[in-house]
Amino acid sequence: MTTAPGATPTIVLVGHGMVGQRFLEALAERGLTATHRVVVLCEEPRPAYDRVALTSYFSGRTPEELSLTDMRFIDDHGIELYVGEPAETIDRGAKTVTARSGRVLGYDVLVLATGSYPFVPPVPRKDAVGCFVYRTIEDLLAIEEYARTKARTGAVVGGGLLGLEAAGALKGLGLTSHIVEFAPRLMPVQVDEGGGAALLRTIEEMGLTVHTGVGTQEIVTDSSGAVTGMRLSDGSELATDLVVFSAGVRPRDQLARDAGLTVGERGGIAVDERCRTVSDPDVFAIGECALAADGRVYGLVAPGYEQAETAAATIAADEASFTGADLSTKLKLLGVDVASFGDAHGTTEDCLDVVYSDARAGLYKKLVVARDGTLLGGVLVGDAEAYGTLRALTGSVPPVSPESLVLPAEAGSGERLGPSALPDEAIVCSCHNVSKGAIRRAVGEHRCTTVPEVKKCTKAGTGCGSCVKVLGRLVDAELAASGVEVDKGLCGCFAQTREELYEIVLALRITAYRDLLDRHGREGARGGEGCETCKPAVGSIIASLAPTIGASGYVLDGEQAALQDTNDHFLANLQRNGSYSVVPRIPGGEIAPEKLIVIGEIARDFGLYTKITGGQRIDMFGARVEQLPLIWSRLVDAGFESGHAYGKALRTVKSCVGSTWCRYGVQDSVRMAIDLELRYRGLRSPHKLKSAVSGCQRECAEARSKDFGVIATASGWNLYVGGNGGAIPRHADLLAQDLSDAELVRLIDRFLMFYIRTADRLERTSTWLERIPGGLDHVRDVVVHDALGICDELEQLMRAHVAHHRDEWAQTVADPEKLARFVSFVNAPDTPDPVVAFVPERDQIKPDLPLLSIGLRPADDVLEGSAPR
Amino acid sequence: MTLALETTAVKVRLRPADGWFTACDLGALTPGRGVAALLPDGRQVALFRDRADRVYAVDNRDPFTGAAVLSRGLIGTLGDRPFVASPLLKQRFDLISGECLDDEAVRVAAYEVRTA
Ligand code: SRM
Ligand SMILES: Cc1cc2nc3c(=O)[nH]c(=O)nc-3n(C[C@H](O)[C@H](O)[C@H](O)COP(=O)(O)OP(=O)(O)OC[C@H]3O[C@@H](n4cnc5c(N)ncnc54)[C@H](O)[C@@H]3O)c2cc1C
Ligand code: SF4
Ligand code: FES
């Protein structure tokens, strides 16, 4: 490097996209941000974000959530980041870059990471109003705005990876969508003819119209210059209000050309194996703008990341080189798995294809194999389960026959080749170039015992996520092999997980905790009392399955009463001084004045503290245990039911006011919230369940922070799952869109029952979704596509729950034997507990907390919680 | 104070000090759960019955919070030590010795009990 002695050398990065950001991280990891001044010119109005996940903006990811840039990282490393400031010229002689603002930056090392621009075919009127490209967040914002206000139909030019993604997005925006592809099949680069055919069928079934083998000749506009259609090469005209060009990308190399750097014939800044431009040793190019030493311009993020590492290592004078990369891709397009890896098109001499195809099921799988049996590559459409393993095996001879790798499991001979068969060098995560060996070391040497720990330690699985399934299986296998005994048992009494106990209870129709403990508990625990962990957990399982296994659905019946946590046992929430709170159900948060008055009267008569909860209902605090039956008799008489604020059960379904009143509402969110709350009330589950329904995408009900959230669309409902407030907030993920009322309810039925069946004790849907192998995709496969064939059973279980639901407070106040438990003292049932006392605050009461530490206090200076009655 | 009616059923008695005190009928206790009883001097006792009909008695006041709630906790066994878990912050107390299993510095009073 050439720097005046004493001065801090400067690295200037032009372009803050995905690869640029990775380059900054690589600099920091090598300590170069400490020894260099690092300056970044970023053209877009926001710092680097996840372009790969761009489309998820339409399923609710906000631009902030897409961001890849932690401003703390930028600050901590003293990086100067100029947002909205593109580089305009480079003077290689003076070694300066000039930005649009006129800012001139001297450099010692210049790194170009300017990415690509979308190629728009030169058809007449391609710039008409209503024509868009699909590359940046700004593009998406513009498409969304136009689709919402001015379009009903949309067409995408280009049926490749991005084109299909864009078409899916247009459909999601409620447009009738067309795809126009010049090649004779969809995704011509990634899949072969057979794969294209399988893909076509599935995509057409989703209601998109595909036109292959035709080109776009011109854009047709109206007198105002807005798009009304496009003329195709077969002479036909396609009426459309919006056009998205997605016909490939071209490297953004103009800046480099102007500076006299060598570019390839078909574009791309020519670099060597160290990512240094061939023309100037002080200038590097990385990412999509670079023409790599192997003569290719890579349009994927993983090779770009590798180039970023290579450039940083070279600057740090480490050995590194980039000689080429894998073009494997796996994506889920509109819910269809599509993957290709290695030599997908069989271009290697003398290679053979092994093909399995089932047109009816939309399945197509092809492996390319060399004469000696080496796996060279392949294409998977419809089921890409084996992708992770196959990709990693590429280049070696698989331990089982190739046929058995593509046949589906149910075809008999189908073999599920586990990741244990992979060699140590096999790259499991291609986004971060992590080998199986590195993952084994993470478990063996670094003592990681869970997938999240391994992700943190190795970065594997933190890119596109397509390797996470394989990762999970590797971690399990490795733990088992290293003899680490991971006791997955629920507690000291049971060696089984909650999920396993659920299956045992269901299969053997076990209705008593004791039977389960004595027959299936750990040796030493049989015949004992159990413990405070497994009793409520098993009580909850029995309650969820009650109608199906023939147990009583009433949680205080017989032995079940002994299993419940104290709150469930008293059907109220215990407070810090031993008093209880009372929360009647107010479905959807809707309440008539008469009922409000009843609550007010009861609270006044019993001297209770009242508060509106965060769940859109009213909580009354300060009830003594012996008052609960009296309070509830009045509530039940007035038509209230238990709100299960005490249970691991459905809490509230919050609503916004919706289309009935709100000028923006597109569906009746209040009605739906009430329907859902009434349907799932009383459903016992591994943890509490919360829901909300918003009447439009402004989302006033905060549905995306709920276990299952529903947001209205013009044509139905979008269902989101796995949201959470609390300590670790998580936005819910879109499970399915534009559902009818019946479809919505059916999917929620399945989702909840699948969660109840497989979740761990006290595991909210958010953590469950993050934990279970395959995550959201797997859940979608099971509950939307019925991949396990269990949906009938799940629906059946829910129907049984709904049909048998009875309000437990109504049952309790009608049962004198049960009421006998609601006493302060067994030998003095009407004597109030003397440590439950209250003092005034803001016109209401609050617990007399000092009393708890002193035990008793003279009776006259306390305010009794119970007014005379 | 209204005392529970005397019947000829099996009684639960405990010894808070020198003499035996009759708290209730055994039938008032559900196996696996507890009840609170009031002693003549104002102290509160938590009584429990296990599945083998053994009965235990400890002080009802949870020493960690001051609330008189131990009778409302769930009982269990750790090895062969019977315990109750406080319903407030879940600390466990040995039902025979009164020792807290989660903090050896803390204990509650335990009483001798008899059923007859
Ligand atoms: C009463 C209420 C606060 C209020 O005055 O507004 C409340 C009170 C309690 N919350 Fe809550 N939460 C209340 C709304 C919420 C909300 C807001 C919401 O539901 O929209 C949240 C965040 C949303 C969420 O759950 O994702 C919330 C997140 C929690 C959490 C954290 C859960 C998590 O997954 O991280 C806990 C702790 C737990 O469950 O383990 C908790 C636990 C509790 C407990 C049960 C703590 C306890 O064991 O004593 C509180 C006792 C309630 C009682 O005695 O009646 N509460 N709690 C709200 C009752 C709503 C209702 O009508 O049923
Ligand atoms: C919708 C979509 C889906 C995709 N899906 C996948 C996928 O599933 N898998 C995959 O591997 N890849 C995918 N890609 C491709 C992937 O996003 C790119 O390979 C990756 O972003 C390339 O990174 P980059 O930094 O080279 O370019 P970019 O991320 O494009 O960043 C270049 C940045 O440089 C800026 N810039 C340009 N000129 C200048 C200048 N003169 N001065 C300052 N700044 C400048 C640009 O504004 C841009 O912000 C997808 C792309 C899109 C659009
Ligand atoms: S979510 Fe939409 S419909 Fe509901 S209140 Fe808000 S703006 Fe109105
Ligand atoms: S392969 Fe993309 S995250 Fe591992």
Side-chain angles (χ1 to χ4, degrees), chain A residues 17-19 43-44 51 86-87 114-115 135 162 252 288 300-301:
Chain A
M18 297 185 75
V19 174
E43 174 188 57
E44 290 187 58
R51 204 178 302 287
T114 48
R135 175 99 197 158
L162 295 187
R252 286 189 71 174
E288 289 194 337
L300 294 170
V301 74

Side-chain angles (χ1 to χ4, degrees), chain A residues 387 391 428-432 459-468:
Chain A
Y387 169 74
R391 181 184 58 183
V428 172
C429 173
S430 56
C431 287
H432 294 281
K459 274 194 164 178
T462 57
C464 67
S466 68
C467 61
V468 174

Side-chain angles (χ1 to χ4, degrees), chain A residues 141-365:
Chain A
L141 295 174
I143 291 172
E144 183 183 39
E145 173 67 23
Y146 199 80
R148 180 150 298 133
T149 50
K150 305 209 171 63
R152 289 164 163 263
T153 306
V156 174
V157 177
L161 192 152
L162 295 187
L164 293 186
E165 230 179 270
L170 294 185
K171 178 167 181 280
L173 287 171
L175 305 189
T176 311
S177 308
H178 296 266
I179 301 168
V180 179
E181 167 57 51
F182 187 65
R185 63 168 185 274
L186 291 173
M187 287 188 66
V189 184
Q190 285 84 3
V191 307
D192 61 0
E193 217 178 299
L199 192 58
L200 174 66
R201 230 170 345 260
T202 319
I203 291 202
E204 283 183 336
E205 264 167 32
M206 293 176 179
L208 282 91
T209 315
V210 179
H211 313 259
T212 49
V214 286
T216 308
Q217 247 161 12
E218 62 173 333
I219 303 296
V220 185
T221 57
D222 63 13
S223 52
S224 75
V227 175
T228 57
M230 48 204 262
R231 204 167 330 276
L232 305 179
S233 59
D234 62 0
S236 64
E237 191 180 318
L238 179 65
T240 184
D241 312 316
L242 183 156
V243 175
V244 175
F245 288 104
S246 180
V249 294
R250 298 286 183 270
R252 286 189 71 174
D253 53 15
Q254 195 58 45
L255 189 65
R257 280 175 201 265
D258 295 345
L261 293 165
T262 308
V263 296
E265 229 171 83
R266 290 164 60 213
I269 308 165
V271 297
D272 64 12
E273 292 178 359
R274 305 239 180 278
C275 297
R276 211 173 229 143
T277 57
V278 295
S279 339
D280 186 335
D282 295 328
V283 183
F284 290 73
I286 54 177
E288 289 194 337
C289 65
L291 173 65
D294 64 349
R296 306 176 86 143
V297 173
Y298 288 91
L300 294 170
V301 74
Y305 281 176
E306 225 177 295
Q307 294 170 354
E309 296 283 346
T310 304
T314 304
I315 296 169
D318 288 348
E319 286 294 302
S321 61
F322 177 86
T323 50
D326 179 20
L327 283 176
S328 303
T329 33
K330 176 185 166 205
L331 20 135
K332 209 162 191 109
L333 287 167
L334 305 152
V336 191
D337 277 333
V338 183
S340 77
F341 55 95
D343 180 10
H345 294 284
T347 53
T348 313
E349 209 174 309
D350 249 11
C351 64
L352 305 166
D353 286 355
V354 179
V355 178
Y356 170 83
S357 143
D358 175 351
R360 216 164 28 105
L363 285 180
Y364 176 86
K365 304 184 190 182

Side-chain angles (χ1 to χ4, degrees), chain A residues 387-428:
Chain A
Y387 169 74
T389 315
L390 289 175
R391 181 184 58 183
L393 278 172
T394 303
S396 66
V397 181
V400 296
S401 76
E403 296 79 343
S404 63
L405 293 173
V406 289
L407 282 179
E410 62 270 23
S413 64
E415 198 138 348
R416 287 273 169 241
L417 185 61
S420 45
L422 296 175
D424 262 357
E425 321 73 75
I427 297 300
V428 172

